[in-house]
Amino acid sequence: MDTAKRFGITTPLPPYLPLALGAADMKLLEHVSAFTVFPNDGIRIDPHMIRRVTSYDGALLEEAHPEVHDVLSPEVARTMTAMLEEVIQFGTGIQAKALGRPAAGKTGTTQDYTDAWFVGYTPQLTAGVWVGFDDKQISLGKKETGARAALPIWLEFMHGATAGMPTMDFANVVPLEEQVGEHHINVDTPDTAPTEDEPAAPKEKPPSVSHPTKTGTANTAGVSPSG
């Protein structure tokens, strides 16, 4: 929670462990602003609506001077960018490769497909998309993940927004495969969880065991999914 506050998150967050996995609602503007810390080498700049106001002849009348905050070390910010580039190169954000320039980002999908997110950035621009209903009880529909519902909107916007911008690489970001030799990782639990677009593998049925039949009546209790 303290880390989230450093990233500029003012939305009240619930103090439980799944928060680290994203189990909390958040304003899109705060989410996008927080992501800008990574391409900015660990620096956050307060969001502002107007950069400057000039007269018809170009004289400066007003200019924003947003506050600047130190959030992360440049090394950590660059490693995060390297990780989020992998999401687009090999993960759930692979559709964003169609942008045709270096980009990093993350999909997000809530339970029952009630919300779909994608927040991503290039070296010059960060943008985010949220798709959902104000009523949390309404689902977008089966398989309407962040990759399927939100990412195409982000891609369309970024195609237009980056048109005419020079193609740039992320400065001083070392790809993960080049960092592997520097970091020794011990994993004691295999990662067998499905991705958000991949159905869970069916569980094997236990071997059947025959039991003597008894005569009598039984009450059955059913459990139905909530929502």
Side-chain angles (χ1 to χ4, degrees), residues 82-140:
M83 293 172 68
L84 294 172
E85 279 189 289
E86 295 278 306
V87 175
I88 289 177
Q89 290 300 314
F90 310 108
T92 56
I94 199 167
Q95 291 180 63
K97 291 176 71 173
L99 187 60
R101 60 177 67 224
K106 187 69 184 75
T107 56
T109 307
T110 56
Q111 288 178 314
D112 301 323
Y113 303 101
T114 56
D115 296 274
W117 294 79
F118 186 79
V119 183
Y121 56 90
T122 67
Q124 301 106 315
L125 181 65
T126 302
V129 174
W130 167 77
V131 180
F133 293 97
D134 291 335
D135 184 350
K136 285 288 186 182
Q137 300 301 312
I138 304 176
S139 173
L140 292 169

Side-chain angles (χ1 to χ4, degrees), residues 195-212:
T195 66
E196 59 185 21
D197 287 319
E198 177 187 350
K203 294 182 178 179
E204 293 185 6
K205 293 182 178 180
S208 58
V209 179
S210 299
H211 296 283

